[in-house]
Amino acid sequence: TRYQPPPYRHIGMETLKCHLRSHRTTRAWAAEEAAAPPVPIDDGERSIREALVQQSRITDALLGYAEAVSGAFEALLKAQTALEDGGIYQIDEVATLAKALLQGARDAYSSAREMVAGVQVPLEAHRATLSACQEDLSKADIAEAEMRRYDTKVEAMVDASKRRLTASARAEARLARNREKLQVATHNASVARGCAQDAMHNCLSRQIYLSEFAQKSVTGTAEALHRAMLRLEPVMLNGSVPNTTLPQETSSPKAGVNSFQAAMDRRIIPSASANPFSEDFDKDDSAANARNSSGRTVGTPGQPTKLTSAQMPTANPFDPDV
């Protein structure tokens, strides 16, 4: 069978290690202790801690979101300003739209900056509160672990003193010192636990404020985009931007004037003096009645225009004086 050391030998080794660690010069001789087990917590406190961790993540995300949105609108404003400085308004096809974009970028950036100014300080204060709560929880866990360590140590020393046949004064004094340390550690753990509990409940009560900050951040971004669209919608609805799918003749504003002028030039206006009962009424008299686009008879300025026999006013056959 495998040799197993007696139980008192293990106790003796632990006592020796504790004795070595108690002195500065011999502390390095003792082997490092294993990591202390985590402090057990109940389900209620665990759920609270998970909620606080979630609040911390949301707070950091909202702070980064506000700065990112403001930076995006600032970059757009700088880009539009660079186009303005470069002379984009000299291009008639995009001048109106470029001006609307610049004004919209300015309005959106102003709205985004207002949103950041409204939520940045409260979010940073909430993050500081959450960080302080996490520190209190860490201190409470450390104090709890320290109390458990002294409690285990005192129990081990009490068990060792019971196995001795005679109790030494030195062992008794050492046990008394550790019991005092245990009392101090228990008190510190209670105080730290109370502070941590207050901090957790304080952070939980601020959950509603975090919801308001999130609403302001998202609503502020939507408001910035809406203010930019208010500048763009009139331009897009009025059709100031040329439609590239249409022919060039109809997409240009001057094309409509030219086409109307051409139609007026091609229009044939019958003579006002033509006899509707004449046999030549339906004939083309454009050559004899040449007119310009305004409908006036073409002639030499300052000279009367000679009328042909067809253009002479005819008598009314129904007039009794005829």
Side-chain angles (χ1 to χ4, degrees), residues 46-95:
R46 183 178 293 106
S47 62
I48 293 176
R49 292 192 179 197
E50 291 176 357
L52 294 180
V53 172
Q54 184 178 6
Q55 282 193 33
S56 181
R57 289 199 302 265
I58 294 175
T59 302
D60 293 339
L62 287 175
L63 283 171
Y65 175 79
E67 290 294 335
V69 169
S70 177
F73 285 117
E74 184 180 4
L76 179 59
L77 178 59
K78 289 181 178 179
Q80 290 299 132
T81 305
L83 282 179
E84 182 185 22
D85 296 340
I88 191 65
Y89 298 157
Q90 302 301 323
I91 303 177
D92 297 337
E93 290 78 3
V94 296

Side-chain angles (χ1 to χ4, degrees), residues 92-304:
D92 297 337
E93 290 78 3
V94 296
T96 304
L97 184 59
K99 291 179 180 179
L101 281 172
L102 179 60
Q103 295 173 354
R106 286 174 179 171
D107 295 343
Y109 177 65
S110 177
S111 181
R113 291 305 303 170
E114 292 177 0
M115 180 267 293
V116 172
V119 301
Q120 186 175 17
V121 174
L123 283 174
E124 289 180 354
H126 186 67
R127 182 170 62 179
T129 303
L130 291 172
S131 300
C133 180
Q134 292 294 335
E135 292 179 1
D136 291 340
L137 288 173
S138 299
K139 291 179 180 179
D141 292 341
I142 293 174
E144 184 73 18
E146 187 73 6
M147 183 195 69
R148 291 177 179 273
R149 186 177 72 86
Y150 276 112
D151 185 60
T152 303
K153 185 177 181 180
V154 169
E155 289 181 358
M157 294 176 65
V158 170
D159 292 340
S161 63
K162 290 181 180 179
R163 292 186 180 91
R164 295 191 186 95
L165 297 178
T166 58
S168 62
R170 185 175 182 181
E172 291 295 334
R174 184 168 174 267
L175 179 59
R177 290 196 305 270
N178 282 274
R179 281 177 176 172
E180 292 177 359
K181 292 180 181 180
L182 177 60
Q183 291 179 356
V184 174
T186 304
H187 175 74
N188 293 336
S190 299
V191 173
R193 179 60 54 188
C195 294
Q197 292 288 341
D198 292 342
M200 285 191 297
H201 290 297
N202 183 25
C203 291
L204 286 178
S205 64
R206 295 175 62 86
Q207 175 69 32
I208 185 173
Y209 299 108
L210 182 61
S211 301
E212 292 179 359
F213 300 151
Q215 185 178 4
K216 288 181 179 180
S217 299
V218 179
T219 306
T221 303
E223 180 67 22
L225 292 173
H226 179 66
R227 291 183 64 180
M229 289 305 300
L230 288 178
R231 297 286 189 176
L232 296 175
E233 284 179 355
V235 178
M236 304 300 292
L237 293 177
N238 292 335
S240 297
V241 182
N243 189 0
T244 56
T245 60
L246 298 178
Q248 185 65 26
E249 289 80 0
T250 58
S251 61
S252 176
K254 298 180 180 180
V257 178
N258 296 332
S259 61
F260 177 77
Q261 186 74 22
M264 292 296 296
D265 294 336
R266 291 194 303 268
R267 188 178 63 174
I268 299 175
I269 303 177
S271 174
S273 61
N275 187 2
F277 299 97
S278 176
E279 295 179 357
D280 298 334
F281 177 75
D282 56 345
K283 294 182 181 180
D284 186 11
D285 61 346
S286 60
N289 188 25
R291 298 172 180 269
N292 56 11
S293 60
S294 62
R296 297 178 180 178
T297 304
V298 178
T300 305
Q303 296 180 0

